[in-house]
Amino acid sequence: MRTRQLLISFLALMCSTYLHAQVFDDYFTDNTLRIDYIFAGDRNQQNIYVDQLSKTKGWFGRRKRLNQLPLEGNGQITVTDSLTGKVIYRHSFSTLFQEWISTEESKNTPKSFENVFLVPFPQRTAIVRVDLFDYHQNVSSSLTHVVDPSDILIRCLPLTSNKCVTLQQASDTTNCIKIAYVAEGYTKNQMNSFLEDAKIATEALFEHEPFKTMRGVFNIVCVESESKEEGTSIPHDNKWKDTVLGSHFDTFYSQRYLTTLHLKRLHDALSGIPYEHIIVLVNTSQYGGGGIYNSYNLSSTKHKHFRPVVVHEFGHSFGGLADEYEYTDSDPMYFSDTEPWEPNITTKHNFGLKWQNLIDEGKAGLVEGGGYQTKGVWRGLPDCRMRTNEHKDFCPVCQQALQRLIDFYVK
């Protein structure tokens, strides 16, 4: 009886694997559709516009669980087959535009932001919908448009001229998580320094669980994108640099918030290279960084806290983890009637399966404070890599969330 049950389970697994593979081949070609959008507006009204569509050779994202979301995110992109009406691909993300909407500037001054999303290239006409959510997870803006794969205005992008170096090859390159380091503020003669910084970042990342145990499922490359000038722009010191990605501190007037608004430049630098998650290394000794879920992680490399910062920001950009520290004067971003989508904080509105199992096992609890708020938001433990640079590990709550996400991509 036991043998028969094992055989049935094995056949079910094989059938599931077969169906996953067939779904991709039935609806997509082995190419990437890059869709550039402009998100624009202010606090009161937001709009989404199609900028341009491009095609590159190879699809380097997941080929299974295509119609499932890794996390809910602050936004989602959905691809539907026009013939069958089936959802054939979904992905989630966060954006700087949505962060900016919470700033004072957005109350009076409309602005626009570049955004770039990659989806597998459809075999036939598809319907693409982009949704942005507010803090109550209601749709705040939405756009639906049709993509005809035979459209002559879909530009075929050539392979980038940037040199690409493989830093770590996954044990199975057909089923892995692909990370690309991108150089920012490194001149032509500083690429050896960039590669060394990438190695430091990699070793820092894989010192932490669950990345340490799961190291074999990550494929990592380094993209030698050259800048004309060294460093990055520091507006509060009136220092402006000519760099490949135009990055700068003082994002939203926060001195240590280091980002780039030029997402089209970023993806141009990666054209044709196998990547899914991006870590931008910035050649500066100024302290700071930024991590945006399923967009990019950007970290300064010459500061003493480079190692913990790049790991922390990867917790944001890859893991969708929330900051677990708080500010006494912060405007609320989380409310008692809405459960945060981030897996490491809760408002107790719908705690559900987040980390109740760890509470039952005595490995975590509910500690008030997190998501920039002193009240009304709870984290799992007093300290964590997502709270302070001094704490050496991700807490058990974050480790569990990261493991679940890794499993989503590769198992």
Side-chain angles (χ1 to χ4, degrees), residues 93-297:
F93 58 84
S94 295
T95 68
L96 271 175
F97 175 66
Q98 290 163 292
E99 286 188 37
W100 174 77
I101 289 169
S102 68
T103 67
E104 285 296 313
E105 184 182 37
S106 72
K107 293 180 179 180
N108 303 303
T109 306
K111 277 194 170 183
S112 65
F113 289 71
E114 296 178 0
N115 284 277
V116 176
F117 301 117
L118 309 178
V119 302
F121 200 91
Q123 292 184 17
R124 55 180 178 250
T125 301
I127 301 167
V128 179
R129 189 181 77 243
V130 178
D131 295 312
L132 304 182
F133 305 123
D134 63 20
Y135 290 145
H136 295 279
Q137 295 177 0
N138 297 315
V139 174
S140 60
S141 185
S142 183
L143 170 70
T144 300
H145 62 103
V146 176
V147 173
D148 179 354
S150 64
D151 186 344
I152 61 172
L153 295 182
I154 297 179
R155 186 168 54 120
C156 291
L157 293 175
L159 178 68
T160 180
S161 60
N162 294 320
K163 182 180 178 181
C164 180
V165 177
T166 299
L167 196 62
Q168 173 178 302
Q169 183 169 298
S171 54
D172 179 3
T173 56
T174 65
N175 183 36
C176 62
I177 297 167
K178 297 179 174 67
I179 299 173
Y181 288 107
V182 179
E184 165 68 342
Y186 294 83
T187 62
K188 182 177 181 179
N189 296 327
Q190 293 177 317
M191 286 304 147
N192 286 337
S193 176
F194 163 64
L195 293 175
E196 287 303 311
D197 289 338
K199 291 176 183 177
I200 291 170
T202 300
E203 294 310 311
L205 179 63
F206 291 110
E207 286 176 358
H208 296 75
E209 294 290 0
F211 301 118
K212 183 177 182 180
T213 298
M214 303 298 294
R215 184 165 186 162
V217 305
F218 288 86
N219 195 84
I220 303 175
V221 299
C222 299
V223 179
E224 297 184 1
S225 44
E226 299 173 5
S227 291
K228 292 181 179 179
E229 292 186 288
E230 174 183 349
T232 186
S233 295
I234 308 175
H236 65 262
D237 286 340
N238 197 28
K239 294 180 180 178
W240 293 92
K241 298 294 184 74
D242 185 359
T243 59
V244 65
L245 300 181
S247 65
H248 63 83
F249 285 94
D250 297 285
T251 303
F252 308 151
Y253 300 96
S254 175
Q255 284 196 4
R256 67 182 187 184
Y257 199 5
L258 173 62
T259 67
T260 176
L261 302 179
H262 303 287
L263 297 194
K264 292 196 287 186
R265 284 197 215 173
L266 175 58
H267 287 270
D268 285 346
L270 289 159
S271 178
I273 287 172
Y275 75 100
E276 186 177 14
H277 300 278
I278 303 169
I279 300 176
V280 179
L281 298 182
V282 186
N283 187 22
T284 178
S285 60
Q286 188 87 3
Y287 175 71
I292 303 161
Y293 172 57
N294 277 341
S295 183
Y296 62 74
N297 161 359

Side-chain angles (χ1 to χ4, degrees), residues 341-400:
W341 63 265
E342 296 93 333
N344 62 321
I345 59 173
T346 181
T347 59
K348 299 184 183 179
H349 176 73
N350 186 19
F351 183 59
L353 299 177
K354 278 194 168 177
W355 67 85
Q356 182 62 53
N357 63 313
L358 297 177
I359 294 176
D360 295 341
E361 296 168 9
K363 297 178 180 178
L366 289 166
V367 181
E368 193 165 21
Y372 317 118
Q373 297 175 209
T374 58
K375 298 293 182 181
V377 176
W378 288 262
R379 60 191 190 274
L381 284 96
D383 208 355
C384 175
R385 167 60 70 238
M386 298 309 296
R387 183 170 172 84
T388 65
N389 287 328
E390 289 71 30
H391 195 75
K392 66 177 183 178
D393 296 315
F394 288 108
C395 71
V397 170
C398 290
Q399 287 187 35
Q400 176 174 267

